[in-house]
Amino acid sequence: MTGEESLRPQSLMLTFLGDQVLGRDVCVYSGSVIDVFARAGVSEQATRSTLTRMVNRGLLRRQREGRRMYFGLTEHSATVLRDGERRIWQTGAVNRQWDGTWTLLGFSLPDSWQRQRHDLRSKLTWSGFGPLFNGLWIAPGEVDVSDLVDELGLAAHVKVFRAHAVAGTDVGAMIEETWELSGLAAHYEAFARRWEKWEAEVPGADDALALRLVLQTEWLRIIRRDPRLPVVHLPDDWPADAAEKTFRTVFDRLAPLANTAAERLLELVPVRHAQA
């Protein structure tokens, strides 16, 4: 049921929990997760392994009720999921509100700090930055990177500025050189092709929940790669808008069946909070 690239079980798990647990103060029975994930093409062994690994990484909490094990969110995973929720439903895939501002971030790290350099680059990419030059990254709009820099402990090695391009700067060419637009466009186009049939077709009731899980996970994976560059500087046939319409149309078609299936298939219990 997955797309052109296999989806990581952890990505599916985060989407599933964001959809069914986030904001509800509940935990979900492991057997329910296994059932839904089997319908999405994930084996029971892979699902159990993912649950265990995410507990060990601080992304999930366990809660035993009798002989059954339930899983809920930690503060860290809830923060990650709220960010994904904003990207999907509030930020959107197309940036039509750009005011001409860029955020520039320069950094200089010792040659031996390979791990710190990798972590910084990964988080900058997640935040919409691209490498303008070696050690100088750029992102559209005003991006607050203070939490990112503090988390990595790199405040003394990073400088951040707001900037505007001067007249005569070929912003379109700069964007082409800094971000791989052709690859991103191909992901949007492939997503639309894979999912457009579900704009008309209706799946079985129980399969709708797994199908919506895969739909959201695939979409979030794409928009996380997207720096949301200003549409005024993108090609006229930029496919993000059409892909987003497909996503929202299919999501809305699946929602009633998926919600009904969730009520029937998922066993939830309230979170037991530690006594003060």
Side-chain angles (χ1 to χ4, degrees):
M1 191 179 289
T2 57
E4 60 180 353
E5 304 173 25
S6 60
L7 297 174
R8 295 173 59 224
Q10 180 171 304
S11 298
L12 286 165
M13 190 70 70
L14 285 170
T15 302
F16 173 78
L17 294 168
D19 196 42
Q20 300 298 327
V21 175
L22 183 64
R24 300 180 63 186
D25 209 27
V26 297
C27 295
V28 60
Y29 171 47
S30 60
S32 300
V33 181
I34 290 167
D35 185 5
V36 173
F37 273 50
R39 297 171 190 272
V42 181
S43 70
E44 177 177 346
Q45 180 180 357
T47 301
R48 290 188 182 278
S49 175
T50 300
L51 288 168
T52 299
R53 191 163 53 248
M54 292 178 70
V55 168
N56 293 337
R57 293 182 59 194
L59 292 170
L60 291 181
R61 64 187 303 275
R62 287 193 183 101
Q63 179 171 308
R64 182 177 292 279
E65 300 285 343
R67 293 187 174 183
R68 295 194 166 188
M69 189 66 71
Y70 296 76
F71 293 85
L73 299 175
T74 63
E75 184 176 345
H76 175 52
S77 57
T79 299
V80 171
L81 292 174
R82 281 192 289 269
D83 180 68
E85 191 175 56
R86 282 192 299 271
R87 289 191 178 219
I88 290 178
W89 300 114
Q90 298 175 26
T91 306
V94 180
N95 183 355
R96 295 189 176 89
Q97 309 300 321
W98 184 62
D99 63 359
T101 301
W102 296 91
T103 298
L104 289 173
L105 182 144
F107 63 89
S108 178
L109 304 180
D111 292 340
S112 61
W113 288 18
Q114 295 182 7
R115 179 184 59 79
Q116 291 91 333
R117 185 176 289 103
H118 170 77
D119 291 345
L120 177 59
R121 287 171 173 169
S122 297
K123 289 184 177 294
L124 289 176
T125 300
W126 164 261
S127 300
F129 284 82
L132 186 60
F133 298 109
N134 185 29
L136 182 62
W137 287 55
I138 188 170
E142 295 190 8
V143 183
D144 184 357
V145 296
S146 55
D147 289 344
L148 178 159
V149 172
D150 289 343
E151 179 185 346
L152 296 175
L154 297 177
H157 301 270
V158 171
K159 301 293 184 291
V160 184
F161 304 88
R162 306 292 182 217
H164 288 79
V166 300
T169 300
D170 190 337
V171 175
M174 182 273 290
I175 286 174
E176 288 280 359
E177 294 168 0
T178 305
W179 288 276
E180 296 183 11
L181 293 187
S182 59
L184 183 58
H187 285 301
Y188 278 125
E189 291 163 353
F191 177 90
R193 286 195 302 270
R194 283 196 301 276
W195 290 98
E196 62 185 359
K197 74 171 185 176
W198 295 107
E199 293 182 277
E201 294 185 27
V202 179
D206 289 352
D207 288 335
L209 181 58
L211 195 63
R212 186 176 68 175
L213 169 62
V214 175
L215 171 75
Q216 289 180 269
T217 305
E218 285 192 14
W219 181 245
L220 186 56
R221 180 175 62 182
I222 294 172
I223 61 176
R224 278 176 169 167
R225 293 169 170 165
D226 189 346
R228 295 192 76 250
L229 297 162
V231 70
V232 67
H233 290 299
L234 292 174
D236 292 338
D237 59 350
W238 186 244
D241 198 28
E244 185 166 36
K245 288 178 181 176
T246 295
F247 165 74
R248 291 179 180 270
T249 298
V250 175
F251 183 93
D252 289 344
R253 285 184 62 83
L254 293 175
L257 287 172
N259 291 339
T260 299
E263 292 178 2
R264 183 171 62 257
L265 297 175
L266 303 185
E267 182 180 331
L268 305 172
V269 296
V271 170
R272 278 192 276 109
H273 295 285
Q275 297 293 324

